[in-house]
Amino acid sequence: MRLHVADHPLITHKLTVLRDAKTPSPVFRSLVEELVTLLAYEATRNVRTEPVEVTTPVARAQGLAISEPRPLVVPILRAGLGMLEGMVKLVPTAEVGFLGMVRDEETLLPTTYANRLPDDLSDRQCFVLDPMLATGGSLSAAIQFLFDRGAVDVTAICLLGAPEGVEHVRQATEGRDVTVVLGALDEKLNEHGYIVPGLGDAGDRLYGLV
Ligand code: URA
């Protein structure tokens, strides 16, 4: 697994406002969108392309087009939805699938409760959106789900991560082509599974339940 932690003052500035408990939901939502676009710039560095030629008003020019099959963007419900708009703005030709993951309270294992994805992901590059990489359980399960359907490589974009979650994903995806792009790597998880210092519950802050 490759880990890329953003290192840019604009990203840190936007994350600082996002972390602030006083930031209201509408501002939080637009900051998430802006941050995803900035992180997606890094996350799509290896998006598959092919050479194309266009005619400018002056001459022929060589360029790149995003290859088929188109990249698949997969927000993990619910909080990943808040990241979708920013991602498709940057990669408008991407297809979008959805995965809902929930932790089974008996087994404590993440299970899939919703899935709107093509059955066959052979040869697909996938971009998973999940704002908080906390324990890493649901992100690992989502990544495994995509590989089970034939995905060739998976890049996860998360706003914040905890070292415990990064390690979990690293071990669970050993031998696979996985990249994790984080806005920041925080200190730790607390006893309730929240990222410290973090930003609280990303879903609640996006959708206004606090
Ligand atoms: N999910 C969140 O929304 N916040 C955390 O801190 C951890 C998991």
Side-chain angles (χ1 to χ4, degrees):
M1 183 198 92
R2 286 173 297 276
L3 175 67
H4 179 88
V5 183
D7 177 21
H8 193 288
L10 260 186
I11 293 180
T12 309
H13 161 68
K14 288 178 193 297
L15 276 175
T16 306
V17 184
L18 204 69
R19 289 178 190 279
D20 190 337
K22 294 196 295 295
T23 299
S25 286
V27 180
F28 192 94
R29 277 197 294 273
S30 39
L31 279 169
V32 168
E33 191 178 321
E34 290 167 23
L35 274 161
V36 172
T37 310
L38 293 170
L39 295 175
Y41 183 73
E42 183 57 41
T44 52
R45 186 167 288 282
N46 294 322
V47 70
R48 277 192 274 159
T49 55
E50 58 201 34
V52 287
E53 224 184 41
V54 290
T55 309
T56 77
V58 180
R60 300 286 290 166
Q62 311 298 322
L64 294 176
I66 293 187
S67 302
E68 295 280 340
R70 292 183 286 163
L72 183 72
V73 174
V74 183
I76 310 285
L77 306 180
R78 141 184 89 134
L81 266 189
M83 300 171 74
L84 181 58
E85 208 44 47
M87 185 70 188
V88 293
K89 262 192 189 155
L90 200 73
V91 194
T93 56
E95 278 189 320
V96 180
F98 297 90
L99 259 185
M101 311 287 307
V102 70
R103 196 162 71 151
D104 183 310
E105 288 311 327
E106 276 175 22
T107 63
L108 297 185
L109 294 172
T111 55
T112 309
Y113 73 86
N115 151 32
R116 274 280 174 278
L117 291 172
D119 282 337
D120 183 9
L121 298 180
S122 300
D123 218 23
R124 281 291 184 112
Q125 276 191 306
C126 297
F127 294 88
V128 177
L129 308 177
D130 196 2
M132 309 298 276
L133 172 49
T135 62
S138 53
L139 183 59
S140 301
I143 292 172
Q144 188 57 48
F145 194 91
L146 299 173
F147 279 125
D148 287 347
R149 292 187 170 206
V152 286
D153 66 71
V154 178
T155 299
I157 305 178
C158 308
L159 302 179
L160 296 181
E164 296 90 328
V166 170
E167 210 34 54
H168 184 112
V169 175
R170 191 190 300 284
Q171 284 176 22
T173 62
E174 210 180 325
R176 299 289 206 176
D177 190 350
V178 172
T179 304
V180 173
V181 176
L182 295 180
L185 180 61
D186 275 10
E187 208 180 296
K188 59 176 183 179
L189 286 183
N190 70 13
E191 62 281 18
H192 305 294
Y194 278 87
I195 297 177
V196 180
L199 52 75
D201 186 302
D204 287 356
R205 296 205 58 193
L206 275 164
Y207 303 115
L209 295 180
V210 278

